[in-house]
Amino acid sequence: MRTTVMVLAVSALAALGLAAGATPALAAAPAPFCESGASQFYCDASSAGTTTWSITWYSGSVGTFTTAGSTLFAACPASNLGHPVRASYSYFDGSTTQYSGTTQFICRSGPWL
C-alpha cells in the first residue's frame, strides 16, 4: 500500500513538473474585476502604472490593450454580445512582470447592474 501511494504521488508531481525541480507558473496578481452593460465592459486590476490587458473574445481572437492605470473601459464587439469573454492583465512592478489570474464575464447589451 505504501509503495502504491508513493508511486502515485511521484507520478502526480512529475505530471506537474515538480519532480524535476520546476515550479508551475502561478499568477502573482489577482484576477481582474470585470462587469458589462450597454454593450461595453469595465475591468479593474490590482496593478500600478501601465497595465497590459489580454481580452479573449468568444470567437477565440485575442485583443491586447494598454492602459496608463489599472482600469480598462471598452466596447464589446457586436459579435460578442451575450457571450463569455476572458480577461487578464500584466504589469511591471519595478523589478519583474506580474501576471494576473483570468476572470470571465458576459458582454451584455442590457443595462449595467
Side-chain angles (χ1 to χ4, degrees):
M1 177 68 175
R2 188 175 285 177
T3 302
T4 303
V5 171
M6 178 60 97
V7 170
L8 290 174
V10 170
S11 296
L13 289 174
L16 291 173
L18 297 177
T23 57
L26 298 175
F33 168 78
C34 298
E35 59 185 357
S36 175
S39 301
Q40 301 172 339
F41 69 93
Y42 161 88
C43 290
D44 190 42
S46 295
S47 62
T50 302
T51 304
T52 301
W53 293 89
S54 178
I55 306 297
T56 305
W57 303 108
Y58 175 70
S59 65
S61 65
V62 177
T64 302
F65 303 87
T66 301
T67 59
S70 64
T71 302
L72 172 64
F73 187 78
C76 291
S79 62
N80 286 282
L81 292 174
H83 296 292
V85 176
R86 291 188 312 272
S88 63
Y89 63 93
S90 63
Y91 68 98
F92 186 70
D93 70 3
S95 60
T96 60
T97 301
Q98 302 294 324
Y99 296 93
S100 78
T102 301
T103 194
Q104 183 171 301
F105 63 95
I106 302 292
C107 257
R108 298 181 330 99
S109 59
W112 291 90
L113 297 178

